[in-house]
């Protein structure tokens, strides 16, 4: 601008007919202003004169001609750009060097676009959807199966097991009995409702029972000791006509010799070895 001031505030030379710059209402000749206040350019390290446009970003300054991509040298004036290790890059160069690839479509996730991250991989927001219903997952709870993501309702509909007892979804753990899935807390004795997942049990008519209840209501009684015959753990028992015995109870009523695998005779409710029965 043409001076209406008398002298340069710094060198005191006359400003009449000369260009000058104002700073805090003081006038300076151009050489004095540039030497005192011009910002150094990040690229060429030369002062950015008051006659040049000063482009600033996060406290750093560039000449307009120096504000360009460090890799391809294209101007970044009025264009989107990215910064990596304090180096300016156009979005294309930044993407080629540093941007993540979408796990789903394998295309670059451009700087400035929203991306979703899950289990160490990145997705475009538009690619991070339920594999079944195709609705965006965003930050909703999800379940992964075979590298595909599903919202919880779709996963349950497609893959989850339903408890044989309560018919609700089994989300974790569970017990398998008679080829059917059960919640651990639903797998209980049909009579006393004791949980059976951590103890031995017996079954009848497709229902599980704890050993005590099964023995009380369904087990046959040994003709000798009158205790239940549960066959638990594969224990052997002997059956003859309408009577049953534990293997260890199937003995001669007189001499107590074991009759397991031996010939025997019956007399009233007793069983006898051949020797005692013939005496």
């Amino acid at each position: 601008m043409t001076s209406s001031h008398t002298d340069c505030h710094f060198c005191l030379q006359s400003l009449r007919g000369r260009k000058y710059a104002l700073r805090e209402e003081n006038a300076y000749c151009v050489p004095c202003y540039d030497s005192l206040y011009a910002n150094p350019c990040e690229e060429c390290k030369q002062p950015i004169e008051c006659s040049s446009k000063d482009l600033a970003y996060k406290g750093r300054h560039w000449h307009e001609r120096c504000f360009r991509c460090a890799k391809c040298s294209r101007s970044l004036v009025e264009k989107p750009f990215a910064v990596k290790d304090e180096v300016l890059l156009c979005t294309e160069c930044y993407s080629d060097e540093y941007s993540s690839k979408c796990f789903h479509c394998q295309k670059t996730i451009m700087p400035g676009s929203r991306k979703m991250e899950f289990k160490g991989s990145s997705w475009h927001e538009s690619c991070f959807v339920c594999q079944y219903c195709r609705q965006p997952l965003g930050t909703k709870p999800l379940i992964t199966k075979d590298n595909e993501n599903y919202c919880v309702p779709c996963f349950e509909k497609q893959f989850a097991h339903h408890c044989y007892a309560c018919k609700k979804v089994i989300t974790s753990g569970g017990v398998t009995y008679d080829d059917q899935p059960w919640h651990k807390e639903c797998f209980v004795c049909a009579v006393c409702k004791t949980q059976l997942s951590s103890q031995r049990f017996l079954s009848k008519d497709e229902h599980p029972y704890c050993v005590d209840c099964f023995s009380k209501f369904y087990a046959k009684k040994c003709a000798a000791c009158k205790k239940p015959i549960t066959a638990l753990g594969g224990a052997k028992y002997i059956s003859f006509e309408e009577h049953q015995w534990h293997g260890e109870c199937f003995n001669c009523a007189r001499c107590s010799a074991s009759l397991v695998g031996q010939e025997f005779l019956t007399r009233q409710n007793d069983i006898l070895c051949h020797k005692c029965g013939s005496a």
Side-chain angles (χ1 to χ4, degrees), residues 2-3 14 23 28 123 132:
T2 303
S3 176
S14 174
R23 183 180 178 86
Y28 296 84
W123 281 261
Y132 185 73

Side-chain angles (χ1 to χ4, degrees), residues 110-131:
M110 298 298 289
S113 61
R114 188 174 181 185
K115 72 176 180 179
M116 309 302 295
E117 295 189 353
F118 178 65
K119 289 187 175 180
S121 297
S122 301
W123 281 261
H124 290 110
E125 186 177 24
S126 58
C127 292
F128 195 60
V129 298
C130 171
Q131 179 67 18

Side-chain angles (χ1 to χ4, degrees), residues 129-221:
V129 298
C130 171
Q131 179 67 18
Y132 185 73
C133 69
R134 311 307 299 177
Q135 294 299 308
L137 290 170
T139 57
K140 297 177 183 177
L142 62 93
I143 300 174
T144 301
K145 179 178 174 63
D146 299 330
N147 288 329
E148 299 289 356
N149 299 320
Y150 298 84
C151 64
V152 173
C154 286
F155 182 87
E156 292 179 352
K157 181 178 180 181
Q158 292 294 107
F159 304 110
H161 295 295
H162 290 74
C163 177
Y164 182 78
C166 70
K167 311 305 179 186
K168 295 180 180 179
V169 170
I170 300 174
T171 57
S172 63
V175 176
T176 300
Y177 164 67
D178 198 25
D179 293 328
Q180 299 292 345
W182 303 61
H183 287 114
K184 182 178 179 181
E185 58 271 21
C186 292
F187 190 61
V188 298
C189 172
V191 176
C192 69
K193 307 305 179 184
T194 299
Q195 284 195 16
L196 300 175
S197 59
S198 60
Q199 61 177 290
R200 294 192 289 182
F201 62 91
L202 297 165
S203 63
K204 181 178 176 58
D205 301 329
E206 298 184 354
H207 295 294
Y209 296 84
C210 68
V211 174
D212 290 341
C213 288
F214 186 89
S215 299
K216 180 178 180 180
F217 292 100
Y218 299 111
K220 298 180 183 299
K221 301 297 191 294

Side-chain angles (χ1 to χ4, degrees), residues 8 21-23 28-38 49-50:
C8 171
L22 286 175
R23 183 180 178 86
Y28 296 84
C29 65
V30 171
C32 287
Y33 184 89
D34 289 343
S35 66
L36 291 172
Y37 301 115
E49 304 89 348
C50 63

Side-chain angles (χ1 to χ4, degrees), residues 33-50:
Y33 184 89
D34 289 343
S35 66
L36 291 172
Y37 301 115
N39 294 307
C41 175
E42 289 286 333
E43 177 66 19
C44 69
K45 310 305 179 185
Q46 297 300 312
I48 304 174
E49 304 89 348
C50 63

